[in-house]
Amino acid sequence: METYNGKLCATYGDLDGIMSIRAIQHQVQRGTVMQARRACIGTPALFAVESLPLKYKTEVYRRYPDMKAQTESKPFIESIEPDGAALVFYQDHLLDDGKHLPTDKQHEYANNAAILNAFRAVMEKSISRRSNGKHLNKTEFWCKAAQALRRCADTFPNSLPENPRRLQDKFNQYLREGYASLVTGKYGTRNRAKVKTAEQESIIIKLLADPRNLDNMQIVEIYNTVGRTLGWTEITVKAVRMRREKYDLLTSAGRLGVTRFRNQREMQVTRSRPTAPLLYWTLDGWTAELLYQETKEKDGRNVTTYHNRQCMVVVLDPCNNYPVGYAIGDQEEPKLIKEALRNAANHTAQLFGCRYRTNQIQSDRYAYKKMKGTYEVMGEKSTPARAHNSKGKVIEPYFKYFNKKHCQYQKNWAGFGITSNPNNQPNSEFLNKHRHSFPDKAGCRAQLIRAIEAERAEKLPQYMELFAQLPEERKLPLSSEQYLLEFGAQTGHLNAIEGQGLRPTIGGIKREYDCFDPNFRAYAHVRWAVKYDPDNLDNILAVNEDGRLRFMLERKYVQPMALADRKEGDAEQLARVLDFNKQQLEVPITAQLGQVNDTVEQLFLDNPQLDIPTRLMLCDSRGQNKIHKQTRRVKALEAEDVEAVEVTMVKTIATRVDD
């Protein structure tokens, strides 16, 4: 049996025992049976089953029942075409809980729609063929459609009902409501038989968000205890488990804490590295994972400890993770952070010829109020990271990289930290066995210094290449005055200006410094604090007690007493001092005093009642006093004569007027 040209056909072999070959040929000759295909070599003749006499056709369908159903299903199956619009609808469809349909359900419902569309197309064709007035037998139609569902299940998996009546009802609902009618009610709905009110739901959410991280059974016990008092229906673990998944985001802040919630659940910001050096620096302290042994006296006896570690503060330039500054100490503290920034400033001078600040500096919140001034000196902008936000600083993964690359190969390596996987930590038995070979504190410090210097040497060529790309407007020099004011060491004593300048004691040695700023000598009455760089004593900074006056001083040049001992440069330095004294001190002071004398002299001329010069014998700049005294007397007498004449003339004029 096979289908040929859309018709179910049988061969001589299929009809064996039902009709003889002679009877078949006789029926074909009479035109009663239709021969669908003639026989040829390798191809048997085919005869349409529907054209056989009724008794033979019935026997064929009785012997081959599946072929009848296949024939009746063929019009439905051939009419099925995939419905792209239905698939898009189910892919975009949102359920009541805000979720999408499962992927397999999306395709299943799209197939349901495609099959129902095919049923409608077959029905419309059947109606058009029977336009002669005969009514369509709907019962027969839906029976055949239900049978067709089994035939097309392999190609179009579906969930349509196989009962003809139920299939007809689903088809009618589909015509009325469209694609949405095929979504079953179990999606997007919840079983509220036990948890019905907002109060009941809120109690479960509250318990799920409890910071003690209660398990499902504990939540059930607490809920049911409250529920028995209020007359609620008891719930099971299944109800809590379902809500734990649904309200995971809502309850995670309480379960995890704000810090973990921000790091694990909130959206993170992705940033790119700086394109050149000095654009952005970040710093932090790290307890170096290298152990050292230390012996201290305790209770009258020496006790050696082997679990000691040092803290290293690193100033990192993330353009290529170059450690531009570092400092090593016992613990992270403002003093150690300041030392790391000082190292960074001096290292830029070694690399680029002068000290530079960075355009932006990032730190954590540790001692920020105390360190804010230092950060603002070393960076044009200071942007501290949010508290407890380790992901905001790229230096955190750098420490892990540094630990693996430089520290893990040492025998005194301590591991990755207490929160790491114990299987990745060093063998405690090995460490205990070799603890006596651990270096002392100085040796451990030397290990860290070698590692950081090796890191610098490896990345320095690229760092210098990137510096060449730094725009000039982004280069921010750090002046010596700013550097000493922020990072300079202090002598602890106040000094006054002497003839030799300022003579502070640094390192137990009396040293002489002076300033070529004439204003400095105007503050001979001020006591100065001295700030200096222990690595470079050529210049110091003198600061008064309130910090309002600051002068950069340079070490005095020592001239030889004997002319025979003079060397190159001595004459220039001597001329520099003499020229300063002459041009910056003597000439301006003389000119200013001359102006003062002229002003005072004019004051006495305008006010003769002031006989102060006579009484005090004050001389002018030429040492003269009597000349000025006689001049003032002559001028006074002349003034008296003029006044007498004027009075006489006034009286005479008055007499004549009276006459």
Side-chain angles (χ1 to χ4, degrees), residues 580-593:
F580 171 78
N581 289 335
K582 182 71 174 177
Q583 301 299 329
Q584 300 294 329
L585 295 179
E586 295 179 4
V587 172
I589 290 174
T590 301
Q592 189 171 356
L593 287 177

Side-chain angles (χ1 to χ4, degrees), residues 6 16 20 78 119 186 215 394 485 553 618:
D16 185 25
S20 64
E78 291 179 347
F119 290 172
K186 69 176 183 179
D215 62 27
V394 296
L485 183 63
L553 278 63
L618 294 177

